[in-house]
Amino acid sequence: MAHRIAVIGGDGIGPEVVAEALKVVRAAGVELDTTDFDLGGERFLRDGTVLPDDVLDELRSFDAILLGAVGTPDVPPGVIERGLLLKMRFALDQYVNQRPFTLADEGIDFVVIRENTEGTYAGEGGFLRKDTPNEIATQGSVNTRHGVERVIRYAFELAQSRPRKHLTMVHKTNVLTFSGDLWQRTFDIVAAEYPDVATAYNHVDAACIYFVQDPQRYDVIVTDNLFGDILTDLGGAVSGGIGFASSGNLDPSRQAPSMFEPVHGSAPDIAGQAKANPIAAILSAAMMVELLGETDAAERIRKACAATTELTASTPEIGDAVARRL
Ligand code: IPM
Ligand code: MN
């Protein structure tokens, strides 16, 4: 049976890298029944559409969503990010953002589990006295016991399934004494259920040093939405480049489809020139087919990506080079 996939190529290099991801997945022998959705900044500029509720409902009926990248310089910040990407993550309750980083030559092999539905991303806050000299803007961080516990539990389960069985919580508990306290207490309570998982804690600023100087120390990391956003760009930078960083926005309860996307953005400066590295999108698609039960194909795609050295070639040539190795 073919897997039903909603494809949102999006903007900039998004459609270019997604085309290679689909090419590679099919070359691995996985049958896909894809439906394209024309969404993103370009669509918004054309007719004002971001993500209507009926389209969101339609997306719910798919086995998974594959997204390239969204964002166009001509659209004000937030319109597409909040209205499309975050709307999908939140509405589909994709509470885990899983971002693996590996660089075999340097012994780097860790996964960041980023909370994906709360924190400063929740959209709490607003303006008072806007556009006056006394203007006030607040942007709160929403942390629920339920939301924190479920993502921490997911991270413990993942750590337990890996050889090193090590989990680091990253936060800023010395300053964020309310949200940090909730995270730390919840972490400690859940940790008691996983006595075989070794744990550590890093403040996020210190974690930035370790990411650069000693990323080998990490196995699984769990952190909040904003820290996870920032740390995973750094994770990409220290493990080969952001062009290799893949991600899955997961609803582990499987009530809604999960969404897979490269960590990088739409890179409008190089769009349409076949210069983008499609490996991040290909590895995101590998994560997708793994979740759909195609574990063997996923492993073969990952191996083929690791063996592909033609990285200065054009986008479709890199896709072809990976596909050839399958
Ligand atoms: C990411 C991106 C998004 C985020 C943006 C585009 C809203 O940076 O997936 O990391 O901040 O989550
Ligand atoms: Mn980001």
Side-chain angles (χ1 to χ4, degrees):
M1 273 278 283
H3 304 286
R4 292 187 63 245
I5 309 297
V7 179
I8 304 172
D11 302 311
I13 61 170
E16 300 173 40
V17 295
V18 155
E20 300 316 307
L22 293 172
K23 179 199 283 178
V24 167
V25 167
R26 289 189 164 119
V30 177
E31 271 186 66
L32 300 179
D33 171 7
T34 59
T35 305
D36 284 309
F37 286 80
D38 177 15
L39 296 170
E42 295 300 330
R43 170 76 191 273
F44 174 75
L45 289 175
R46 231 181 304 123
D47 67 6
T49 300
V50 182
L51 178 61
D53 287 338
D54 59 322
V55 177
L56 180 62
D57 277 339
E58 206 186 328
L59 289 173
R60 285 181 199 279
S61 69
F62 287 84
D63 297 328
I65 303 165
L66 185 65
L67 184 139
V70 291
T72 312
D74 296 339
V75 181
V79 173
I80 302 303
E81 293 83 351
R82 283 213 165 269
L84 176 58
L85 194 59
L86 299 186
K87 185 169 174 179
M88 282 191 287
R89 290 176 183 172
F90 295 175
L92 303 177
D93 207 20
Q94 296 162 339
Y95 66 87
V96 168
N97 195 327
Q98 182 155 333
R99 299 184 157 181
F101 300 94
T102 52
L103 192 58
D105 292 348
E106 296 193 17
I108 297 175
D109 182 11
F110 66 92
V111 184
V112 175
I113 300 301
R114 164 185 176 189
E115 201 292 319
N116 212 30
T117 55
E118 303 192 337
T120 43
Y121 276 67
E124 196 264 348
F127 297 105
L128 281 175
R129 304 192 284 266
K130 192 169 182 201
D131 291 325
T132 75
N134 300 318
E135 176 165 353
I136 297 171
T138 62
Q139 191 101 41
S141 174
V142 174
N143 297 263
T144 69
R145 172 62 195 256
H146 165 73
V148 172
E149 183 173 338
R150 64 184 181 174
V151 76
I152 287 177
R153 179 161 278 110
Y154 180 90
F156 270 102
E157 289 286 333
L158 178 66
Q160 196 174 47
S161 75
R162 291 166 59 93
R164 281 180 62 195
K165 300 191 197 309
H166 189 277
L167 176 62
T168 306
M169 184 179 108
V170 172
H171 208 281
K172 186 75 185 176
T173 55
N174 53 343
V175 173
L176 305 182
T177 50
F178 308 130
S179 58
D181 192 71
L182 173 60
W183 272 79
Q184 187 67 70
R185 273 183 288 120
T186 308
F187 187 86
D188 293 344
I189 289 167
V190 177
E193 294 171 35
Y194 298 87
D196 53 334
V197 175
T199 61
Y201 171 80
N202 293 161
H203 291 318
V204 64
D205 46 353
C208 289
I209 298 178
Y210 298 139
F211 262 57
V212 172
Q213 295 189 341
D214 181 26
Q216 294 81 1
R217 71 167 56 211
Y218 293 119
D219 180 19
V220 181
I221 291 172
V222 66
T223 191
D224 95 337
N225 208 337
L226 181 60
F227 296 146
D229 176 49
I230 298 165
L231 276 180
T232 52
D233 267 29
L234 188 53
V238 299
S239 58
I242 198 74
F244 297 89
S246 58
S247 84
N249 301 268
L250 314 178
D251 168 15
S253 78
R254 295 188 185 239
Q255 279 166 275
S258 293
M259 172 170 65
F260 300 83
E261 53 167 337
V263 174
H264 65 68
S266 57
D269 52 324
I270 58 161
Q273 301 170 45
K275 279 186 181 169
N277 181 357
I279 298 285
I282 295 170
L283 291 174
S284 302
M287 226 197 265
M288 175 179 83
V289 299
E290 171 148 50
L291 204 89
L292 296 173
E294 309 272 2
T295 42
D296 172 67
E299 192 50 31
R300 282 188 293 119
I301 294 170
R302 277 193 287 264
K303 285 211 173 99
C305 284
T308 298
T309 47
E310 297 90 333
L311 295 170
T312 51
S314 72
T315 308
E317 283 166 352
I318 298 174
D320 289 341
V322 176
R324 253 199 323 275
R325 290 185 164 86
L326 285 160

